[in-house]
Amino acid sequence: MNELEKVENYDATHLNSNATQINSPTHDVDIEKGQFSGSHGASGSTTPQVAHSATGQNEKENDFDSASSSSQTEDDIGFAPISTHQTQPPHQPRPMSRQSHNTTFSHISRSRSNNGFGVDDLEDEAEKEEEGADAEAAAARSGAGETIKDEEEKRFEVGWEGGDADPLNPRSMPTWRKWIIIAVLSIGSFAVTHASAIYTATYTQMNAEFHCSRIVATLGLSFFVLGIAMGPFWSPLAEFYGRRPIYICSFAGFLIWLIPSAVAKNIQTMIIARFFQGLAGSAFLSVSGGTVGDLFSREKFQLPMAIFALSPFIGPATGPLVGGLINTFTTWRWTYYFLIIWAGVLLVCVMVLVPETYHPVLLKRKAVNLRKTTGDNRYHAPIERTTKSVASTLGNSLMRPFQLLLLEPMCLILDVYSAVLLGVLYLFFGAFPLVFRTNHGFNLWQVGLTFMGLGVSMVLAGCITPVWTRVRNGLAEKRFKKTGIMKGEPEDQLPPVIVGAPLITGGLFMFGFSTYPWVHWIVPIIGSSIFGLGMSFAFTGIFTFLVDAYPRYAASALATNALVRCSFAAAFPLFGIQMYEKLGFQWATALLAFLTLAMLPFPYLFFVFGKRIRARSKFATRS
């Protein structure tokens, strides 16, 4: 028998085998006799290969599959490769590809956040390109057996019936219940950041009791903020256990670590306890923002997200006032008794009022229930097909932020800018008492009132959020008139930063050069409020730009920003008082203003040239 006859006989046998598969879904196909094997890229797509033993024709097909697989990025969300040396029974569906079920995937996409910015439902051009590559690879498949497996995979993959209208979908909850959840989580985020600043009002009494210097006591503030900096690295745990366990464990840990501060006998105990308070509270901060995306679609979540995003920034502005009132009329330990009571009530509210909202975990529960009630083990949720481990996921969450910081100039510069701003805010916790006590004779609670200028400006910034939405829509419409394509760009998120940058610098100069005893105390407060307004604009624009410019790595981009930002916020208070005493109130503040002046052009430069920079980026989306 010549070679041609061998090939024809093989093809006839193979077609008969496929026909048998169609009629009998439980039939196993032997790999050595021509089974289709899966070569999975990182995105979860499958590229079939046919093992022809009699000819060398399939070498080209294998080369094509190898190139298709290697074109996928390992960083994308996906599944582990399936071995080609084992037989896979048809009743165990292979992992879902994006192309086969992208409708469900858009509702259950992984989300993480920091300080209230979720990463749900984000789709970028790079992912769409990869989906196109998946579609081409799928079109290259041959054999009816593979098609049967795909159909079975789709049929038994659990999703939302009717999309957001599914009764088990958190987005189908009554509006009043959604807002109760948002209120509890917003107050919780506010409480954590409030606890960071309320500590500054205890210095006078606590230092006298512990016989420590002001700089040593300031370490309690710095270590708390360092603990918050670790928060984004906890958020991957939500992928495996859901959001509710993180909320409960986080706030329970926050409550427990408040107790050592309330009964501390030395400054060492206080500093250590403060670090773990920040660490425990940070997990709550980094995960809870994603709940907004769980509850509201992208068309409706602007208002709840604006309210939630505002809460962690108002906390530091109100801390000195509440702490000042407590420490003026009672002992410093009541500062922590107050926080313990507050945290206890919030923990009960979280346990009673906040259900699990993370879509992949809820779909997993739905699949488990279907398997139990029907007895059919083929029902599965997408999260059950992942082979990622907790250790590997945490490892990636630790590594990638540093890659973005070192390799992405836009990410680095915007992170440093936002870090300087938060550092200045925390430096004010030492500078305000120094300025207003020295120049105007304010007492402790009156000094706390001076921070209200910052608080009011942050609320005002939240109210102006719809204006920036209209600006972004206007830029998209202008682009549509030129190109005929209605599409936004990440740079459309930068106008708030462009407007906020001169307000930041101008507000600091106004505050600095109005810190004379003969200038009315309201003038530096107005200057600080202008700074706060610009800072809020800048944070809003920077966070949303990072999410839009790095959609596939949005969680890592926000984690990088949080790490750099909180590191500066921890360091600035340690030298703030010495700087103000050595340089004087005016020039110490002017030095901070000049730092922001040096950073002022970058938001505009990124607005103009950002698209070109992204075109050369390894991580950013390409328009």
Side-chain angles (χ1 to χ4, degrees):
M1 181 182 295
N2 56 35
E3 292 295 319
L4 179 59
E5 290 172 339
K6 290 181 181 179
V7 172
E8 291 173 347
N9 289 339
Y10 171 81
D11 290 337
T13 302
H14 185 60
L15 290 174
N16 291 334
S17 174
N18 287 338
T20 303
Q21 273 189 285
I22 298 173
N23 297 325
S24 179
T26 60
H27 179 70
D28 291 333
V29 183
D30 187 81
I31 294 177
E32 299 297 329
K33 294 183 180 180
Q35 180 191 0
F36 289 97
S37 61
S39 174
H40 282 249
S43 63
S45 63
T46 302
T47 306
Q49 296 176 344
V50 182
H52 286 199
S53 59
T55 72
Q57 175 183 356
N58 212 50
E59 293 176 1
K60 293 182 179 180
E61 295 176 6
N62 289 338
D63 291 339
F64 170 80
D65 294 332
S66 175
S68 176
S69 177
S70 63
S71 67
Q72 306 293 334
T73 61
E74 294 178 0
D75 295 317
D76 199 4
I77 303 168
F79 306 96
I82 293 179
S83 172
T84 61
H85 301 292
Q86 297 179 358
T87 302
Q88 180 175 336
H91 67 274
Q92 296 176 350
R94 62 179 182 79
M96 174 194 70
S97 69
R98 287 184 168 188
Q99 186 68 21
S100 66
H101 212 282
N102 58 357
T103 301
T104 300
F105 189 84
S106 68
H107 290 289
I108 62 170
S109 58
R110 179 173 62 178
S111 69
R112 292 183 230 156
S113 68
N114 181 57
N115 283 348
F117 287 82
V119 197
D120 265 347
D121 295 337
L122 296 173
E123 294 181 86
D124 62 302
E125 291 303 307
E127 286 186 314
K128 292 179 181 178
E129 291 174 4
E130 290 177 1
E131 289 177 358
D134 290 344
E136 293 178 6
R141 291 173 180 166
S142 61
E146 191 74 16
T147 303
I148 293 298
K149 290 182 181 180
D150 285 344
E151 292 298 326
E152 184 174 297
E153 179 77 13
K154 294 178 183 179
R155 188 166 66 253
F156 291 100
E157 182 179 89
V158 176
W160 299 126
E161 299 175 6
D164 292 350
D166 191 314
L168 298 179
N169 190 326
R171 292 179 181 175
S172 67
M173 290 181 180
T175 302
W176 62 266
R177 190 180 181 192
K178 294 181 184 179
W179 278 104
I180 287 177
I181 297 171
I182 295 299
V184 171
L185 297 180
S186 298
I187 295 172
S189 298
F190 170 80
V192 172
T193 55
H194 180 90
S196 71
I198 198 173
Y199 170 79
T200 60
T202 67
Y203 287 159
T204 302
Q205 293 188 40
M206 185 182 68
N207 294 357
E209 181 174 335
F210 292 160
H211 305 289
C212 64
S213 65
R214 178 66 175 268
I215 189 65
V216 173
T218 306
L219 288 173
L221 173 63
S222 297
F223 272 74
F224 189 102
V225 181
L226 281 178
I228 292 179
M230 301 294 105
F233 303 116
W234 291 101
S235 55
L237 295 175
E239 295 181 33
F240 298 92
Y241 307 113
R243 303 197 197 280
R244 178 176 163 83
I246 302 298
Y247 296 154
I248 295 174
C249 294
S250 169
F251 229 75
F254 178 68
L255 173 61
I256 290 170
W257 281 104
L258 284 170
I259 298 173
S261 292
V263 299
K265 301 299 182 183
N266 53 61
I267 191 62
Q268 294 90 333
T269 301
M270 178 64 69
I271 293 173
I272 294 172
R274 290 280 295 174
F275 172 77
F276 285 105
Q277 289 165 24
L279 184 63
S282 67
F284 185 90
L285 282 173
S286 62
V287 173
S288 54
T291 298
V292 180
D294 293 340
L295 296 173
F296 297 90
S297 64
R298 295 193 72 184
E299 294 76 19
K300 299 179 180 178
F301 84 155
Q302 284 80 9
L303 178 59
M305 181 60 79
I307 294 174
F308 180 87
L310 188 65
S311 58
F313 293 105
I314 295 180
T318 59
L321 173 60
V322 176
L325 291 170
I326 292 173
N327 286 268
T328 298
F329 299 105
T330 185
T331 66
W332 68 270
R333 294 186 186 274
W334 266 102
T335 304
Y336 294 97
Y337 299 153
F338 165 74
L339 291 175
I340 289 171
I341 295 170
W342 189 4
V345 172
L346 281 174
L347 179 59
V348 173
C349 291
V350 169
M351 297 176 67
V352 174
L353 300 175
V354 180
E356 180 58 64
T357 62
Y358 189 44
H359 291 203
V361 170
L362 293 176
L363 287 174
K364 180 181 178 180
R365 293 178 183 177
K366 184 177 180 181
V368 170
N369 185 59
L370 282 172
R371 290 196 296 265
K372 183 178 179 180
T373 55
T374 64
D376 192 339
N377 291 328
R378 288 177 293 181
Y379 286 105
H380 65 277
I383 194 176
E384 295 179 297
R385 288 295 180 261
T386 180
T387 59
K388 296 180 297 182
S389 66
V390 177
S392 64
T393 304
L394 287 176
N396 285 334
S397 70
L398 289 171
M399 178 184 65
R400 193 170 297 124
F402 293 100
Q403 292 177 324
L404 291 172
L405 193 62
L406 296 175
L407 301 177
E408 295 295 317
M410 289 194 297
C411 186
L412 172 63
I413 292 173
L414 292 176
D415 286 352
V416 171
Y417 190 30
S418 61
V420 169
L421 300 183
L422 195 66
V424 171
L425 176 63
Y426 273 81
L427 184 146
F428 279 168
F429 294 140
F432 273 37
L434 193 62
V435 169
F436 290 101
R437 281 181 175 178
T438 303
N439 288 347
H440 305 287
F442 282 12
N443 61 27
L444 190 58
W445 69 267
Q446 289 172 331
V447 170
L449 279 174
T450 61
F451 286 89
M452 288 299 95
L454 290 167
V456 170
S457 65
M458 291 176 183
V459 173
L460 178 61
C463 296
I464 298 177
T465 299
V467 174
W468 304 123
T469 302
R470 289 196 291 270
V471 170
R472 287 193 294 271
N473 293 338
L475 291 171
E477 292 175 0
K478 183 178 180 180
R479 191 176 297 109
F480 174 74
K481 293 178 181 179
K482 290 184 178 180
T483 64
I485 300 174
M486 190 67 175
K487 181 178 179 296
E489 296 284 358
E491 289 72 28
D492 296 346
Q493 307 289 352
L494 291 176
V497 194
I498 296 173
V499 173
L503 293 177
I504 290 166
T505 303
L508 286 175
F509 277 122
M510 181 177 179
F511 174 83
F513 289 102
S514 62
T515 54
Y516 292 100
W518 46 268
V519 178
H520 194 277
W521 52 264
I522 196 63
V523 179
I525 292 178
I526 293 174
S528 68
S529 65
I530 294 174
F531 163 79
L533 182 65
M535 181 184 67
S536 300
F537 287 164
F539 280 146
T540 300
I542 289 172
F543 290 161
T544 52
F545 172 79
L546 291 175
V547 169
D548 272 6
Y550 304 94
R552 292 170 58 200
Y553 312 102
S556 296
L558 292 176
T560 304
N561 185 275
L563 179 63
V564 179
R565 194 175 72 242
C566 291
S567 298
F568 276 51
F572 273 46
L574 296 176
F575 62 78
I577 292 180
Q578 297 91 322
M579 183 177 72
Y580 269 75
E581 289 176 344
K582 295 292 184 181
L583 299 180
F585 299 163
Q586 295 77 35
W587 288 105
T589 310
L591 177 61
L592 300 174
F594 282 122
L595 284 177
T596 63
L597 181 63
M599 305 294 293
L600 190 150
F602 287 104
Y604 179 76
L605 293 176
F606 292 155
F607 179 77
V608 176
F609 302 107
K611 189 173 182 178
R612 301 180 190 177
I613 298 173
R614 286 188 289 110
R616 301 186 183 95
S617 170
K618 177 183 177 182
F619 298 98
T621 181
R622 294 175 174 83
S623 301

